[in-house]
Amino acid sequence: MKLHKPLVSAVMLCVLGAPFAANAADGDWKRGRVYYRMVCTVCHTTPAGGGKAIAPTSKTKAEWAAYLQADKHNKGKDSVKYYISKEYRAKVKATNKAAEKYADVPDDELMNDIKAFVIKGAKDGDSPAGCS
Amino acid sequence: MKTQRTPWHTATLVVGWLVSFGALAISGMAAAANTSTADHSKFKELQKHFASGPEVTKACLTCHTEAAKQVHRTKHWTWEYLNPVTQQKVGKKTMVNNFCISAGPNLPACASCHVGYGWKDASFDFKSEVNVDCLVCHDTTGIYRKPAGLAGNPVTKRMELPPGSGKFVDPIDLTKIAQKVSKSSRDTCGVCHFYGGGGDAVKHGDLDSSMSAPDREVDVHMDATGLDFTCGTCHATSAHDVPGSRFAPTVKDEGMKRIRGKKDDSNPANCVACHGKRPHPIQQAKLNDHTSKIACETCHIPAFARGGPATKMFWDWSTAGKMNEKGKPFQKKDEDGHVIYDSKKGDFILAKNVIPEYMWFNGTVYYTLVSDKIDPTKVVQISRFEGSPTDGKSLIFPVKVFRGKQPYDAGNNTLVTPHTAGTDDAAYWNTFSWPKAIAAGMAVTGAPFSGKIGFVETEMRWPINHMVAPKENALACQQCHSDNGRLKGIQGIYMPGRDSSRYLDILGGGAAFFALLGVLGHGALRIFSKRKKGGN
């Protein structure tokens, strides 16, 4: 039945996305911005990271919600959470000042900050944020 | 009429319901943790729907009773400033520049950066307290916007903007924004000061969006992962009056370091206010000798526009108005995507990592106002920085010199204030008619217009104070002390490595020769006396 696919997708997106949006609203988007720009972007501008910066505007709010909810980084080879985790921050903090500065921020808190930033800066967000 | 419900309709309804549910969940959640002693979401005055900006201000003023009166006394509100030294009345309200030229005849657009609501023409009530816009400086959500064309008002209901463009803007949630207010930030100041002149990085060169969360290389003080200064850390504000205006800058601060608690009316927004006049360690005492002649910024801001966005360096209004093959206005971009021609504005030159120009500057700036006569055969100095090596008040200072070509009244030999922004028949960006635009603009300004139009070359100087580099990136000696160094054009000072004087060279060479002679003679005597003693 044709109805099923879009309806189920929409329901799933909202069921997963609504609590996500609620959490994101609580995050500190400014702290998320610093981590995103100074940790995530560092790799995503290198050939190993795809060679091209991924801006918040590269996805819509729903796409960011789905992406972060799925938690599949690098086509599922690892997780987004790992790159936000204290474990990862400890690993790179000697060479990355943002990882050093936020070394002790709880994982969930920092994840919420990043969610808040990308949702706000998404293509259809309140304040679309490019990489310039 | 019965509407058939498609699967997408159903899906949309479900989505809408769930999103609404999510939004309710959000609104019920606690505000993000900050250092404020007040959670504004708990104030009953802010727990309601606001249909306009003034309604929010009215709510703010129920507690902050004196805030609007304080704002009324500031340049951010009046856009006017009587310079006590030059006795010139300056400020955005009446001044001319060589970017978008003049705010006065274009208020519905330019008032987006006024700390008020509704300044569209001379009828604006400057005494109204509810016209003060609290949110533009105190928003923390980053979603507060005052689009051009609305006279400084935010969008509170969905509207087509600009009218007839087919583009629609959704309203912003003033309640959500009002409940999350806090201290001003780099982002709130940056909403206007990073985007002056019509876009990111355009005007100042040392202020652009890269300063919203800069790294250490861009600004050692504002480094988001380091010292993390906000604008207010230096522009220490009291009673809403922000010190450190470019209209009256402090160049040579003769005071001492500012001490917390000590009553001090000096300008805190300069280097000496924190670092003192001898900021370098004893091992670098020679550098401290430089501070009586050279501003800190000269060595410590080696280049501006270092954060990524390119700044405008040249703007030629005389080429504006060209149309494409379809008779429509167009834009041309360079390989980096920067607009270098716009039918509405003319040709531009942009640049990054720009080395400043240097000049003697004592803090006094004279502006060419619309009431001043100009000589169109020469480059008109719209802002003229005063200074000399002998006045005891000047330092060698870095500046951005913005050059351009702009319309002037060829009959009266004055600069003009065209009406550019808008959808009316006189607006240049609508009908591309200079005669109409200038006549309308000069009528608003209240200045005579002969009807004769020419284009004149102009220059404007902007002090470079921000984007302070880490000390390891400060200028090295040879960058100035060499034949072709940065200060090659600076007169009135003797600079070893750059300058030479026959008599001074003879004197110095002679002193060195005699010193060497003394050392050799002393050594010879020591050897001679040792041998003599040995012989005994």
Side-chain angles (χ1 to χ4, degrees):
Chain A
M1 191 178 159
K2 281 183 180 176
L3 169 66
H4 276 161
K5 206 171 175 181
L7 182 59
V8 169
S9 303
V11 170
M12 286 304 291
L13 186 63
C14 290
V15 168
L16 297 172
F20 163 82
N23 284 335
D26 247 8
D28 178 350
W29 66 271
K30 290 185 183 181
R31 191 162 65 179
R33 174 174 65 184
V34 173
Y35 194 85
Y36 186 96
R37 285 186 179 173
M38 295 186 182
V39 180
C40 307
T41 306
V42 164
C43 287
H44 282 286
T45 49
T46 62
K52 192 179 167 188
I54 297 175
T57 48
S58 59
K59 294 182 193 295
T60 62
K61 288 193 282 189
E63 285 167 346
W64 275 117
Y67 172 75
L68 293 171
Q69 193 69 40
D71 196 24
K72 287 180 181 173
H73 183 261
N74 196 14
K75 295 176 182 169
K77 289 177 187 162
D78 47 31
S79 71
V80 180
K81 276 183 184 163
Y82 169 69
Y83 291 97
I84 315 289
S85 68
K86 278 188 181 180
E87 181 190 348
Y88 180 72
R89 281 174 266 156
K91 198 172 149 188
V92 299
K93 71 178 184 183
T95 54
N96 189 296
K97 288 186 69 185
E100 182 191 6
K101 182 169 183 176
Y102 304 137
D104 298 325
V105 176
D107 291 1
D108 289 348
E109 210 176 289
L110 192 56
M111 179 57 100
N112 271 344
D113 297 342
I114 289 162
K115 286 173 183 172
F117 173 60
V118 295
I119 291 295
K120 177 177 166 296
K123 197 185 293 179
D124 57 344
D126 290 326
S127 183
C131 277
S132 63
Chain B
M1 191 177 107
K2 195 175 178 182
T3 310
Q4 191 180 4
R5 186 167 288 179
T6 66
W8 277 110
H9 278 112
T10 312
T12 308
L13 277 173
V14 176
V15 169
W17 181 82
L18 285 165
V19 168
S20 303
F21 180 80
L24 283 172
I26 294 166
S27 64
M29 296 184 82
N34 60 37
T35 56
S36 173
T37 52
D39 177 352
H40 284 76
S41 68
K42 292 178 179 170
F43 294 153
K44 283 195 171 50
E45 289 82 357
L46 300 178
Q47 292 170 351
K48 62 177 188 180
H49 171 72
F50 294 108
S52 71
E55 284 185 26
V56 179
T57 302
K58 195 173 174 185
C60 300
L61 293 176
T62 56
C63 293
H64 301 276
T65 56
E66 305 308 302
K69 296 183 191 78
Q70 293 174 354
V71 172
H72 282 178
R73 293 193 288 269
T74 69
K75 290 184 281 296
H76 277 122
W77 176 258
T78 61
W79 278 14
E80 266 186 345
Y81 173 68
L82 179 64
N83 188 311
V85 176
T86 65
Q87 288 300 308
Q88 282 190 307
K89 190 183 271 187
V90 293
K92 290 182 185 301
K93 193 174 178 183
T94 52
M95 281 172 68
V96 179
N97 64 41
N98 51 0
F99 292 90
C100 287
I101 303 181
S102 181
N106 302 293
L107 283 169
C110 299
S112 295
C113 277
H114 182 238
V115 289
Y117 297 117
W119 188 10
K120 65 178 192 305
D121 55 33
S123 66
F124 180 67
D125 183 3
F126 281 94
K127 290 181 179 166
S128 165
E129 295 197 14
V130 295
N131 276 354
V132 170
D133 181 356
C134 309
L135 299 179
V136 73
C137 299
H138 295 286
D139 169 44
T140 64
T141 65
I143 61 175
Y144 187 67
R145 292 281 181 280
K146 305 211 295 179
L150 299 183
N153 286 302
V155 174
T156 52
K157 56 184 177 185
R158 185 172 162 80
M159 61 166 62
E160 190 181 26
L161 203 67
S165 65
K167 295 174 185 170
F168 285 83
V169 180
D170 288 321
I172 53 172
D173 184 348
L174 290 175
T175 303
K176 177 181 170 185
I177 295 165
Q179 289 183 357
K180 288 180 176 291
V181 289
S182 188
K183 287 191 285 190
S184 64
S185 65
R186 293 190 295 252
D187 288 285
T188 51
C189 300
V191 163
C192 289
H193 293 283
F194 296 165
Y195 295 88
D200 191 5
V202 166
K203 191 180 273 181
H204 296 272
D206 60 347
L207 289 173
D208 60 44
S209 64
S210 70
M211 299 287 273
S212 58
D215 61 19
R216 186 169 175 270
E217 304 300 309
V218 173
D219 192 297
V220 73
H221 299 111
M222 300 177 95
D223 173 13
T225 54
L227 293 172
D228 207 12
F229 282 17
T230 66
C231 306
T233 309
C234 295
H235 294 269
T237 298
S238 176
H240 285 94
D241 189 23
V242 183
S245 164
R246 73 179 166 93
F247 294 132
T250 303
V251 170
K252 197 167 193 176
D253 188 339
E254 296 294 2
M256 304 300 287
K257 292 181 187 176
R258 289 170 71 89
I259 298 168
R260 276 184 281 181
K262 185 183 174 190
K263 184 169 167 41
D264 192 341
D265 294 328
S266 65
N267 175 10
N270 70 79
C271 309
V272 170
C274 291
H275 293 282
K277 286 187 283 191
R278 299 185 69 78
H280 305 98
I282 191 73
Q283 299 87 340
Q284 298 174 321
K286 192 64 199 163
L287 294 179
N288 287 330
D289 295 342
H290 285 63
T291 60
S292 62
K293 296 289 180 192
I294 297 177
C296 306
E297 291 93 330
T298 295
C299 297
H300 290 276
I301 310 178
F304 57 85
R306 297 203 315 273
T311 188
K312 275 191 182 144
M313 297 301 296
F314 179 80
W315 184 329
D316 184 356
W317 280 96
S318 71
T319 59
K322 294 175 192 167
M323 298 291 144
N324 65 13
E325 60 280 4
K326 293 176 185 168
K328 300 282 183 193
F330 67 100
Q331 288 186 336
K332 199 162 74 179
K333 295 182 179 180
D334 65 12
E335 60 273 17
D336 296 323
H338 302 129
V339 175
I340 54 172
Y341 179 78
D342 186 329
S343 299
K344 290 179 174 179
K345 299 177 179 180
D347 281 292
F348 308 127
I349 295 174
L350 295 97
K352 297 180 188 179
N353 297 309
V354 184
I355 293 177
E357 295 181 35
Y358 300 92
M359 60 187 304
W360 289 103
F361 182 36
N362 62 21
T364 301
V365 188
Y366 284 94
Y367 289 91
T368 301
L369 305 174
V370 77
S371 52
D372 296 326
K373 291 285 180 191
I374 61 166
D375 179 355
T377 62
K378 295 178 179 168
V379 177
V380 175
Q381 306 296 321
I382 293 183
S383 59
R384 197 176 78 241
F385 282 20
E386 295 286 298
S388 92
T390 55
D391 67 4
K393 297 183 289 185
S394 298
L395 296 176
I396 299 167
F397 206 87
V399 295
K400 169 183 172 177
V401 183
F402 185 73
R403 297 180 168 89
K405 210 171 188 182
Q406 66 194 90
Y408 78 102
D409 182 335
N412 291 322
N413 282 345
T414 57
L415 294 175
V416 293
T417 55
H419 169 47
T420 49
T423 54
D424 56 282
D425 186 49
Y428 186 77
W429 293 344
N430 188 33
T431 54
F432 296 94
S433 164
W434 279 124
K436 281 184 189 176
I438 295 171
M442 293 296 266
V444 172
T445 305
F449 174 50
S450 70
K452 294 179 185 168
I453 300 166
F455 286 86
V456 63
E457 288 183 51
T458 54
E459 284 185 1
M460 211 171 171
R461 283 162 179 74
W462 296 80
I464 296 297
N465 308 96
H466 308 94
M467 294 191 176
V468 177
K471 60 184 175 187
E472 60 271 20
N473 295 345
L475 295 189
C477 308
Q478 69 274 15
Q479 286 176 278
C480 296
H481 291 279
S482 58
D483 286 340
N484 205 26
R486 290 187 177 217
L487 302 186
K488 63 182 175 187
I490 295 292
Q491 300 299 314
I493 191 170
Y494 183 84
M495 281 181 58
R498 183 195 72 167
D499 303 319
S500 63
S501 155
R502 188 163 171 248
Y503 296 111
L504 199 60
D505 289 349
I506 291 170
L507 198 67
F513 174 74
F514 285 115
L516 180 65
L517 206 64
V519 169
L520 291 173
H522 179 79
L525 285 172
R526 293 283 296 262
I527 293 167
F528 177 73
S529 77
K530 196 175 178 184
R531 281 187 182 164
K532 200 173 176 185
K533 279 180 188 171
N536 290 336

